[in-house]
Amino acid sequence: MADKERVVLAYSGGLDTSVIVKWLQVEKNMDVIAICGNVGQDEKDLSWIKQKALDMGAIASEAVDMRKEYADTILSKEIWANGKYEGIYPLLSALSRPIIAKYLVDIAHQYGATYIAHGCTGKGNDQVRFETCIRALDPSLKILAPVRDWDLTTRDSEMKWAKEHGVPVPTSHDKPYSIDDNLWGRAIECGVLEDTWNEPPADIWTMTENPENCPADPETVVIGFEGGVPTSINGKRMSLLDCITEADEIAGRNGFGRIDMIEDRVVGIKSRECYECPGAMLLLEAHHSLETLCLDAETLRQKAKLDVEWASTVYRGFWYSQNREAIDAYNAYTQKYVTGDIRIKLCKGGIFVDGLRSPYSLYDYHLATYDEGDTFDKTASDGFIKIHGLQSKTWSRIQGPGSELNWDK
Ligand code: ARG
């Protein structure tokens, strides 16, 4: 008998991917290798997940700790790029998929698998990201998306199939939200949140205090950066991974880091999304403030445009792409100078940057001061403004205020 084809599955331990472990064996006659990535999600003990896949007949199952690599190779670039999709969302789900995809492809090669399977639905962004990343890393691998393709469309039919095939099903029927979490924060969707007028219920938040109940006294934190990446908190040197965990604690207890937004998915759907990313938002704010001190005006203007482009590129699944790598090359140059300290006060859900310093600071006291020691040559301003405003003068004479062509008339 010929060997069965092998498939590597991105496995979470939940109902959908557990049914998939069995479904791939029963319906597709494949050998399943289940991979559970530790990207810093709330579930810390992955050994039971690994075992659960084996119990359901997977030929191999691995729990892989991806946290350090995730922080050092992906989140560091996210911080460089001040990455926020539609100006708000710090991309947490979009950032974890590329690292998981990379491991899925590597492990497929190790096991001689020809397929990769994932448990994403057909309506979300994550299917787009997984599959786009996998195609970029190894176009010869074939992809299976059982949840998108199977006919177990309702939860009841899925539960029935699971019971018939010995897949453990959750005892309670209600699964109020769809949650995706990792080092960079939590995404909460579905359930009552699907009505955009419903206030998010208090129980969706687990990383942040309710700002109304936070201490009235502000807390101050100093975040140190080297080359655009956080390297210390309150003077204590630590890895990026630890900086994120520490920043989560500090911002979380001060009620900072909640987002409730309408977001435009890649597949054309507007969706209501709640996110909790206290550490991510604190570090991003600190980073951007430090850039204002260390980068010149032209570079800041250019980088702001590239930041928007970077976020959109990564959101749409193009982590492994020429465009993202090219923008990161620009960032690698600019970030050489983003070194220094930012002091931030946190209070009842708000944050306020109140101190900045850097060995590469472009702030020149002698140019800025209105006191003693001023070195700015004011005599040059008059001539400068005459030339600077020349186009306004010309416009005004020909089309502007008082001209025949003025639209207001
Ligand atoms: N809307 C967010 C994004 O596309 C979050 C997705 C969360 N995924 C999930 N399976 N709940 O990045």
Side-chain angles (χ1 to χ4, degrees), residues 12 23 37 39 48 53 90 104 107 145 177 196 217 245 318 349 355 391 405:
S12 73
W23 190 87
V39 282
W48 68 269
L104 293 171
I107 292 168
Y177 313 110
T196 58
D217 288 336
T245 316
F318 294 112
Q391 60 179 309
L405 293 169

Side-chain angles (χ1 to χ4, degrees), residues 8-27:
V8 170
L9 168 68
Y11 182 60
S12 73
L15 178 67
D16 283 347
T17 51
S18 296
V19 170
I20 295 174
V21 175
K22 247 312 186 278
W23 190 87
L24 290 167
Q25 298 169 69
V26 174
E27 303 289 335

